[in-house]
Amino acid sequence: IAGIGIFQFIHEPLAALYGHLRSTEDYAARLRQYDRQLILVFDWGGGTLDLTLCRLIEGHLFQITNDGTDEVGGDVFDEQLRNEIIKRVMIARGLNEDVTIDYNAKMRLLHACERAKIDLSTKPKTTIFVSNFFKDLDDPDLDYLLTRDELENLVSPILNNGLHRIERLLQNADVLPMGLALCLVTGGMSNMPAIKARLHQIFGPQRVQVSDHNTTLIAEGAAWAAHDQVQLVLAKNVELLLARNSRISLLKAGLPMPREGEIKKTDFHLYCVDPRDGVAKFQLESPIR
């Protein structure tokens, strides 16, 4: 309705890296600096954690491998924090499980927890307050003083889960942390001091770059890629799983990705060897390699 078209799809971590490199004052010098080097894009946002290992070769970005999950996004942090605060406040006030909590107030507490998480990126402590949280009590308000240490202890299992995925990705790629030239950190969760500290432990402070535009870098990179009319190509084969775990490549790595108004078309002729139920099921895969 607004007249905005989709010029091309681009993988978010790749857009973040392109935006980081393209927005520097001397783009050509930055390309020379990282030529033939390995770069990890660490994008931890509100919904997902995305990891992409890239290599820069003669000005072209190549994705080597990637990993992602929605199990440790910032929303999961917020829910964990909300549940723990409710439990602690009820214990401190001697309330049992029969007490009624206003549904809308519970949603307001979730937003307050997100705000507290952001505040604790720069403050040692903050107050979480939600009015009229409990029903039918003389004092219905929820009031809790949260420190940064408390927050980090509460979410440490989620934090460990997310950072463990870095170690697993590097192991699968047979790459040591010291073999990286850059770990680009973006996404809203990258503001957490605990995450920055752990990344410094893994890669060393000189390799970790937390973008000043961490909440907008993906959008900026996508805009730069569209502006430069970058020709994106498929990083991995898209394969069809056949019998006995054999596969046929439907779309091969290196295929130029279509832009707005373009269609890429390939014909395949397949035979269904068991047509008794009248249904043919296809499983498409994108390999790890």
Side-chain angles (χ1 to χ4, degrees):
I1 293 174
I4 298 174
I6 299 173
F7 179 73
Q8 193 170 35
F9 288 100
I10 182 170
H11 192 205
E12 288 189 358
L14 192 64
L17 180 55
Y18 191 79
H20 174 71
L21 297 173
R22 184 65 173 80
S23 60
T24 57
E25 292 184 4
D26 195 337
Y27 177 46
R30 188 59 62 92
L31 293 181
R32 290 193 298 271
Q33 176 186 353
Y34 291 120
D35 190 46
R36 311 286 169 175
Q37 302 294 316
L38 289 170
I39 298 172
L40 177 68
V41 181
F42 178 91
D43 175 21
W44 202 336
T48 61
L49 167 63
D50 291 305
L51 302 170
T52 299
L53 184 65
C54 303
R55 190 184 295 275
L56 188 62
I57 302 177
E58 296 179 355
H60 297 280
L61 289 171
F62 291 88
Q63 292 191 68
I64 296 173
T65 187
N66 56 290
D67 182 36
T69 179
D70 60 1
E71 298 176 356
V72 296
D75 295 343
V76 178
F77 278 75
D78 300 338
E79 290 178 9
Q80 173 92 355
L81 180 57
R82 177 183 65 178
N83 295 339
E84 185 63 27
I85 286 177
I86 292 174
K87 184 171 71 173
R88 292 188 178 191
V89 168
M90 291 179 65
I91 291 174
R93 294 180 57 175
L95 302 175
N96 56 39
E97 295 181 357
D98 295 334
V99 67
T100 303
I101 298 175
D102 182 85
Y103 175 79
N104 291 327
K106 201 171 182 180
M107 294 302 298
R108 284 188 282 124
L109 176 58
L110 185 64
H111 295 308
C113 288
E114 180 184 13
R115 183 70 254 171
K117 179 185 66 180
I118 295 171
D119 289 343
L120 291 175
S121 296
T122 56
K123 300 177 182 178
K125 58 185 177 181
T126 188
T127 298
I128 296 176
F129 178 81
V130 178
S131 61
N132 298 316
F133 186 80
F134 300 105
K135 289 185 176 181
D136 304 321
L137 292 183
D138 293 336
D139 182 7
D141 301 336
L142 181 143
D143 194 350
Y144 189 84
L145 180 65
L146 180 68
T147 67
R148 182 187 294 175
D149 290 341
E150 273 186 288
L151 173 65
E152 293 176 357
N153 288 332
L154 284 173
V155 300
S156 60
I158 304 174
L159 202 64
N160 292 335
N161 186 358
L163 293 169
H164 175 68
R165 300 187 83 97
I166 294 179
E167 300 171 0
R168 188 170 63 186
L169 178 138
L170 294 179
Q171 288 175 359
N172 291 339
D174 196 22
V175 172
L176 294 174
M178 298 303 104
L180 267 64
L182 172 66
C183 174
L184 177 63
V185 186
T186 186
M189 293 297 297
S190 62
N191 291 317
M192 280 192 72
I195 292 178
K196 294 179 185 178
R198 291 286 294 276
L199 290 175
H200 286 174
Q201 290 176 1
I202 296 172
F203 298 107
Q206 71 279 8
R207 294 181 176 86
V208 178
Q209 174 72 50
V210 180
S211 172
D212 294 334
H213 302 173
N214 55 18
T215 58
T216 60
L217 189 60
I218 291 171
E220 292 176 19
W224 273 119
H227 173 271
D228 295 343
Q229 298 194 18
V230 174
Q231 180 57 70
L232 301 173
V233 301
L234 197 62
K236 298 184 286 189
N237 292 342
V238 176
E239 299 177 340
L240 179 65
L241 179 63
L242 305 177
R244 301 180 183 85
N245 287 324
S246 60
R247 291 167 175 81
I248 179 174
S249 293
L250 300 180
L251 302 174
K252 294 185 179 295
L255 173 75
M257 298 299 290
R259 293 171 175 165
E260 187 175 22
E262 296 179 347
I263 296 175
K264 302 288 184 179
K265 181 179 178 181
T266 305
D267 292 331
F268 290 88
H269 299 279
L270 304 169
Y271 293 91
C272 181
V273 297
D274 186 2
R276 286 173 294 180
D277 62 359
V279 176
K281 297 178 181 178
F282 299 88
Q283 182 169 327
L284 302 179
E285 296 185 336
S286 179
I288 296 295
R289 62 187 183 278

